[in-house]
């Protein structure tokens, strides 16, 4: 019996074998086709209920299987799962096309859409109808038969290329290992980091020495603390050259193929560029608006970034006689300068940020703001022993959500941090079906002598991903495709980025930042230093984020047909944002998973866009009190629970009373 084809609520991980996935996909696609056929063969006049709602709730079995499989492919993959992904992705792409290019189905959808003004629809129903119609019109329903065939071919190719791109990045990350046997090579590294490196060496089959890898908890401390400049250089070049070695894991051709196919697809549908296609369904709306937004911030940030870089260069020269600051020097001297200016470094802070305490802290913040209660349970199946599972309730003991949390690096887990879901929220037949949400991160693991102690950056990352999690958990909409984080991409980062602000507030830190040995609450002078240092090198950080957004737009906001050299194109895109000398060995695009594997193509600007929203929104909390129930309730009722049911700006203005002001971000960043 295939456990994926039996009805399940929580994912039955212990029963699932890899051989179950492909048959489950094939059968659930077949079942979904029957549901579509039932809609198209309906002899009754098309209505919102028998067409739009029926379509919305079709394919739910396939959706659940897909969420289980692709979440495992990100968090607990292996070669067999990756092979299955390569086989099923084109099938899913083809099935998606079979729906959006189904003329009978589109005719019914269009019939309902054409009479929308005379239908008595709720706001959410109106949004769903608009979204369903656009899912056809924006995906080829109005194309000729010949162009539809080409669109299918493009989508099938893109599905495989994106997977291959991600697999190559993961393989490159796992392949590189720096095995050190001379302790002098670790000079500067804190004892906890040395212990972690020794433990890592043993786990990788080395009886002696220390191991450094390209996983963030290993890579970042080495770049920040190791005095050995030559080794920092080696590690930096290895990290920066993933997918750029002209070998079997090279991603240069994949990048060019992806951007050219995306462009062809967009022009096939009548759009000027891929960015024009994407941004039609974003708050920003046009590439011109994105460029204008990025360049306005660039104008404000660049002078500050150049001053900060000059300060860093002078500091490195004075300290160690470094007359040319390179990329592999940045983290090292920034950390030293930060310590000198603020007498603050992560090693002083980490004892106050034991992982379990930070988890409890973010739960307490959610309780004070939104009346949520988290209960750890052990009766929910997990895909790995390290995963923690929680049931979430409101103050009236109503079940709100299931929450999975997976915090440490593994060979089968891709890098970075993300929120995802195993089950959406929706309402049907009088039942409010609650969601299953997951946070996946790659934080510093525990060692034999110390528990997992987080850097402050990891603390803000945990709060960030948990903000996305709250967006999913507190969803309260009728339709699954409008639920939770199913919002415009440049709005989706608001709930995550606003939650980071609580990490800097005394009132919040006192809830969880206690010394893992003594239980002492974090001293207020350290809290003050955290706040004072929060704008340290903000100009450089802003410039870095803007450079990524501009690189993204350079790939997707033009006709890329004549681009032949990935590195040359990237250098040109970076020319107005470069501070460090360029390195010929490295290339960001070949490992830029956000835009070539994830969903951020033409959307990387969203992080900065959402920062404007979050700075403006948090100013409201600061004004009324960071745990003010009235403001928190307005945020929950108008943003977190509403998903994509209305235009984001309408939702935001309902919460805030006005449109966001870019000055709020510039002021917070110290750039005004």
């Amino acid at each position: 019996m295939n456990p994926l084809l039996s009805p399940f609520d929580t994912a039955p991980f212990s029963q699932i074998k890899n051989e179950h996935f492909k048959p489950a996909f094939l059968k659930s696609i077949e079942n979904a086709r029957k549901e579509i056929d039932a809609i198209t063969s309906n002899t009754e006049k098309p209505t919102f209920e028998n067409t739009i709602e029926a379509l919305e709730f079709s394919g739910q079995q396939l959706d659940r299987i897909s969420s289980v499989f692709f979440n495992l492919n990100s968090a607990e993959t292996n070669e067999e799962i990756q092979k299955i992904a390569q086989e099923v992705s084109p099938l899913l792409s083809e099935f998606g096309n079979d729906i959006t290019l189904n003329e009978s189905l589109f005719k019914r959808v269009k019939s309902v859409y054409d009479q929308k003004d005379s239908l008595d629809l709720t706001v959410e129903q109106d949004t769903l109808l608009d979204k369903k119609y656009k899912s056809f019109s924006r995906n080829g329903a109005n194309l000729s038969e010949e162009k539809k065939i080409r669109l299918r071919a493009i989508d099938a190719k893109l599905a495989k290329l994106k997977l291959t791109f991600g697999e190559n990045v993961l393989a490159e990350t796992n392949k590189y290992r720096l095995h050190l046997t001379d302790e002098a090579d670790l000079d500067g590294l804190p004892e906890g980091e040395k212990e972690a490196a020794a433990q890592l060496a043993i786990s990788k089959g080395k009886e002696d020495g220390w191991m450094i890898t390209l996983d963030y908890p290993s890579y970042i401390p080495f770049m920040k603390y190791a005095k050995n400049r030559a080794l920092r250089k080696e590690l930096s070049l290895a990290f920066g050259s993933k997918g750029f070695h002209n070998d079997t894991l090279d991603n240069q051709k994949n990048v060019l193929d992806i951007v050219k196919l995306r462009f062809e697809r967009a022009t096939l549908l009548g759009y000027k560029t891929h960015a024009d296609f994407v941004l039609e369904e974003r708050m920003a709306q046009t590439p011109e608006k994105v460029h204008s937004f990025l360049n306005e911030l660039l104008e404000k940030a660049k002078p500050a970034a150049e001053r900060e870089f000059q300060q860093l260069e002078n500091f490195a020269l004075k300290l160690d006689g470094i007359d040319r600051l390179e990329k592999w020097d940045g983290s090292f001297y920034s950390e030293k300068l930060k310590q000198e200016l603020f007498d603050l470094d992560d090693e002083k802070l980490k004892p106050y940020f034991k992982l379990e305490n930070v988890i409890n802290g973010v739960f307490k913040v959610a309780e004070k703001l939104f009346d949520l209660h988290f209960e750890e349970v052990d009766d929910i199946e997990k895909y790995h022993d390290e995963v923690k599972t929680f049931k979430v309730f409101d103050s009236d003991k109503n079940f709100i959500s299931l929450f999975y949390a997976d915090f440490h690096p593994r060979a089968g887990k891709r890098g970075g941090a993300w929120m995802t879901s195993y089950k959406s929220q929706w309402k049907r037949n009088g039942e409010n079906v609650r969601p299953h949400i997951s946070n996946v991160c790659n934080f510093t693991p525990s060692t034999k002598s110390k528990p997992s102690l987080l850097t402050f950056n990891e603390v803000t990352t945990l709060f960030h991903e948990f903000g996305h999690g709250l967006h999913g958990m507190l969803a309260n909409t009728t339709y699954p495709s409008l639920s939770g984080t199913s919002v415009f991409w440049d709005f989706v980062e608001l709930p995550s980025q606003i939650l980071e602000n609580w990490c800097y507030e005394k009132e919040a830190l006192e809830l969880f930042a206690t010394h893992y040995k003594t239980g002492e609450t974090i001293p207020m002078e350290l809290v003050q230093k955290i706040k004072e240092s929060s704008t340290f090198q903000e100009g450089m950080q802003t410039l870095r984020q803007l450079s990524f957004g501009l690189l993204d737009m350079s790939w997707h906001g033009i006709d890329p047909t004549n681009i032949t050299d990935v590195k040359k194109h990237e250098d040109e895109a970076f020319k107005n944002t470069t501070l460090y000398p360029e390195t010929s060995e490295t290339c960001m695009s070949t490992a830029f998973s956000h835009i070539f594997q994830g969903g951020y193509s033409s959307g990387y600007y969203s992080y900065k866009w959402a920062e404007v929203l979050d700075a403006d929104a948090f100013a409201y909390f600061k004004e009324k009190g960071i745990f003010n129930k009235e403001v928190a309730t307005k945020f929950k009722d108008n943003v977190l629970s509403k998903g994509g049911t209305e235009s984001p700006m309408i939702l935001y203005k309902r919460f805030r009373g006005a449109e966001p002001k870019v000055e709020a971000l510039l002021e917070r960043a110290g750039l005004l």
Side-chain angles (χ1 to χ4, degrees):
M1 187 69 184
N2 191 325
L4 291 166
L5 292 172
S6 301
F8 61 87
D9 183 35
T10 57
F13 293 115
S14 68
Q15 302 166 50
I16 302 170
K17 295 183 170 60
N18 286 345
E19 59 262 30
H20 289 140
F21 282 116
K22 193 170 179 184
F25 273 113
L26 292 171
K27 184 63 179 172
S28 60
I29 288 173
E30 181 189 324
N31 292 340
R33 285 190 198 283
K34 288 176 184 171
E35 292 171 346
I36 298 299
D37 290 343
I39 299 170
T40 56
S41 61
N42 190 337
T43 55
E44 294 175 14
K45 180 189 170 194
T47 65
F48 183 85
E49 289 73 21
N50 70 23
T51 300
I52 306 302
E53 274 196 346
L55 179 58
E56 170 70 359
F57 287 106
S58 69
Q60 286 194 306
Q61 182 188 48
L62 177 59
D63 290 342
R64 293 299 311 276
I65 292 166
S66 295
S67 70
V68 171
F69 176 75
F70 286 103
N71 283 329
L72 285 177
N73 192 38
S74 292
E76 188 61 18
T77 196
N78 53 48
E79 285 185 11
E80 195 177 350
I81 286 178
Q82 290 178 354
K83 182 171 179 289
I84 296 165
Q86 288 282 0
E87 291 170 2
V88 301
S89 289
L91 299 177
L92 293 169
S93 173
E94 182 185 3
F95 174 65
N97 284 143
D98 286 346
I99 292 176
T100 55
L101 300 177
N102 184 320
E103 286 184 31
S104 303
L105 185 59
F106 180 51
K107 197 176 287 184
R108 289 186 69 92
V109 170
K110 189 173 187 306
S111 171
V112 181
Y113 184 78
D114 287 344
Q115 52 179 314
K116 68 182 288 191
D117 292 341
S118 63
L119 301 174
D120 186 21
L121 300 179
T122 65
V123 170
E124 187 174 349
Q125 287 173 330
D126 193 64
T127 301
L128 183 71
L129 176 55
D130 196 52
K131 184 174 179 177
K132 290 299 177 196
Y133 177 75
K134 282 182 176 175
S135 74
F136 287 86
S137 63
R138 283 170 53 82
N139 286 289
N142 293 314
L143 293 179
S144 67
E145 203 51 48
E146 183 187 350
K147 287 183 175 178
K148 284 179 181 177
I149 292 168
R150 179 58 190 153
L151 189 79
R152 285 176 179 274
I154 290 172
D155 286 346
K157 281 185 184 175
L158 280 171
K160 295 196 78 160
L161 281 167
K162 284 159 67 178
L163 278 172
T164 302
F165 181 96
E167 287 166 7
N168 288 352
V169 173
L170 180 62
E172 286 271 55
T173 303
N174 287 338
K175 187 173 74 167
Y176 180 87
R177 294 176 182 180
L178 177 62
H179 182 222
L180 303 172
T181 52
D182 184 350
E183 192 166 1
D185 288 336
L186 286 91
D187 193 17
L189 246 69
E191 282 308 312
E193 303 300 347
K194 283 188 186 178
E195 187 184 358
Q199 198 167 292
L200 189 59
I202 292 169
S203 74
K204 302 291 186 188
K206 299 290 183 184
E207 292 302 313
D208 63 338
W210 301 265
M211 181 80 73
I212 308 296
T213 69
L214 300 183
D215 286 317
Y216 281 117
S218 179
Y219 173 77
I220 288 174
F222 196 87
M223 298 306 294
K224 192 183 278 189
Y225 296 113
K227 292 181 180 177
N228 189 320
R229 195 182 186 207
L231 286 178
R232 289 203 314 269
K233 177 180 178 180
E234 180 188 329
L235 208 62
S236 172
L237 293 180
F239 190 91
S241 61
K242 286 184 282 190
F244 191 58
H245 295 295
N246 293 308
D247 58 7
T248 54
L249 298 177
D250 193 273
N251 268 337
Q252 291 174 85
K253 186 173 185 302
N254 292 329
V255 166
L256 293 175
D257 287 349
I258 287 169
V259 296
K260 288 172 184 179
L261 285 168
R262 282 174 174 167
F263 174 74
E264 185 188 348
R265 189 184 194 281
T267 55
L268 203 62
L269 293 166
Y271 294 87
K272 188 179 170 189
T273 66
H274 177 69
D276 286 273
F277 170 76
V278 168
L279 293 167
E280 184 181 65
E281 292 289 279
R282 300 287 191 267
M283 289 179 80
Q285 296 186 317
T286 66
E288 291 74 24
K289 185 85 177 279
V290 172
H291 278 293
S292 170
F293 171 72
L294 293 174
N295 287 322
E296 181 188 355
L297 286 178
L298 181 61
E299 193 181 322
K300 299 283 197 305
K302 192 170 181 178
E306 289 172 340
R307 285 195 302 273
E308 291 163 3
F309 189 71
Q310 185 65 57
Q311 180 190 33
L312 194 62
E313 280 192 311
N314 294 341
F315 177 73
L317 181 63
K318 184 184 87 173
L319 197 68
D320 290 328
I322 302 289
D323 56 2
R324 181 176 147 114
L325 205 64
E326 301 281 1
K327 289 178 181 177
W328 43 89
D329 299 317
S331 293
F332 181 78
Y333 288 105
S334 287
E335 184 63 22
K336 288 266 188 288
L337 178 58
K338 188 176 174 183
Q339 288 176 28
E340 182 171 288
L341 292 176
F342 304 102
D343 187 27
L344 182 73
D345 70 275
D346 269 327
E347 290 311 300
K348 284 182 180 172
L349 294 175
K350 281 168 69 174
Y352 296 97
F353 295 126
K354 180 182 172 184
L355 174 61
E356 288 75 13
N357 292 347
V358 181
I359 296 167
N360 288 335
V362 82
F363 289 171
K364 283 178 185 171
V365 169
E367 181 181 348
K368 287 174 80 72
L369 289 170
F370 309 119
D371 295 320
L372 295 179
H373 304 272
F374 292 78
E375 181 186 311
E376 187 163 9
V377 292
D378 57 13
D379 57 348
I380 305 295
E381 292 198 18
K382 309 170 181 184
Y383 55 87
H384 193 279
D385 288 343
E386 289 180 350
V387 178
K388 296 172 180 286
T389 49
F390 302 86
K391 284 182 177 173
V392 189
F393 301 93
D394 66 13
S395 50
D396 294 324
K397 301 280 194 296
N398 296 310
F399 176 68
I400 297 298
S401 175
L402 195 62
F403 179 56
Y404 297 85
D406 181 2
F407 290 120
H408 301 299
R410 294 186 296 273
K413 186 196 282 192
R414 69 176 169 88
W418 63 95
M419 166 267 180
T420 184
S421 109
Y422 284 95
K423 181 184 178 186
S424 296
Q425 175 274 331
W426 68 84
K427 296 174 188 172
R428 203 176 191 196
N429 301 326
E431 183 187 6
N432 190 334
V433 176
R434 300 311 302 167
H436 299 173
I437 303 300
S438 176
N439 277 175
V440 188
C441 305
N442 282 276
F443 292 150
T444 307
S446 59
T447 63
K448 283 178 183 172
S449 70
K450 286 180 184 169
S452 174
L453 302 176
L454 304 188
T455 65
F456 188 70
N457 188 52
E458 288 176 324
V459 174
T460 59
T461 297
L462 190 151
F463 270 69
H464 179 104
E465 297 307 332
F466 191 76
H468 283 308
L470 287 173
H471 204 179
M473 290 179 225
L474 289 168
N476 194 28
T477 64
T478 304
Y479 303 112
S481 71
L482 302 178
S483 176
T485 56
S486 300
V487 300
F488 280 2
W489 215 256
D490 44 11
F491 192 61
V492 78
E493 293 297 333
L494 168 60
S496 55
Q497 289 181 187
I498 194 173
L499 206 68
E500 292 182 38
N501 289 283
W502 273 262
C503 300
Y504 297 90
E505 298 297 324
K506 171 180 180 286
E507 214 178 325
L509 285 167
E510 285 177 336
L511 296 173
F512 66 92
T514 55
H515 198 286
Y516 79 102
K517 279 185 177 174
T518 66
E520 173 206 13
T521 301
I522 189 167
M524 280 311 106
E525 61 265 25
L526 279 183
V527 175
Q528 191 54 37
K529 285 172 183 177
I530 289 171
K531 285 185 79 85
E532 287 170 1
S533 65
S534 64
T535 58
F536 174 64
Q537 294 186 344
E538 187 62 39
M540 287 171 65
Q541 292 299 331
T542 300
L543 200 67
R544 181 172 177 268
Q545 284 291 97
L546 294 175
S547 73
F548 297 165
L550 290 165
L551 177 62
D552 173 24
M553 292 303 290
S554 80
W555 282 118
H556 296 114
I558 62 163
D559 175 354
T561 309
N562 295 321
I563 301 173
T564 55
D565 189 323
V566 173
K567 173 70 171 172
K568 188 177 174 184
H569 175 82
E570 178 174 297
D571 288 349
E572 181 64 23
F574 279 156
K575 70 179 180 185
N576 290 326
T577 56
T578 300
L579 295 171
Y580 292 96
E582 191 40 59
T583 45
S584 60
E585 305 97 320
T586 61
C587 180
M588 185 190 173
S589 297
T590 54
F592 200 174
S593 298
H594 270 77
I595 68 169
F596 293 119
Q597 183 192 10
Y600 278 86
S601 64
S602 307
Y604 202 86
Y605 77 91
S606 303
Y607 284 104
K608 276 292 162 204
W609 185 278
E611 270 190 59
V612 172
L613 296 174
D614 107 66
D616 187 73
F618 192 66
Y620 190 21
F621 274 99
K622 290 280 281 184
E623 180 191 324
K624 301 285 188 181
I626 66 164
F627 288 117
N628 181 282
K629 264 298 191 327
E630 183 191 350
V631 180
T633 301
K634 281 175 77 173
F635 193 69
K636 179 171 80 171
D637 291 349
N638 295 302
V639 176
L640 295 177
S641 66
K642 284 288 190 284
T645 55
E646 285 187 76
S647 157
M649 192 58 83
I650 289 173
L651 294 175
Y652 186 83
K653 286 199 294 189
R654 206 174 285 148
F655 155 68
R656 187 68 166 99
E659 291 197 4
K661 298 179 177 68
V662 74
E663 288 75 20
L665 171 62
L666 296 171
E667 194 175 311
R668 184 177 70 183
L671 297 175
L672 270 185

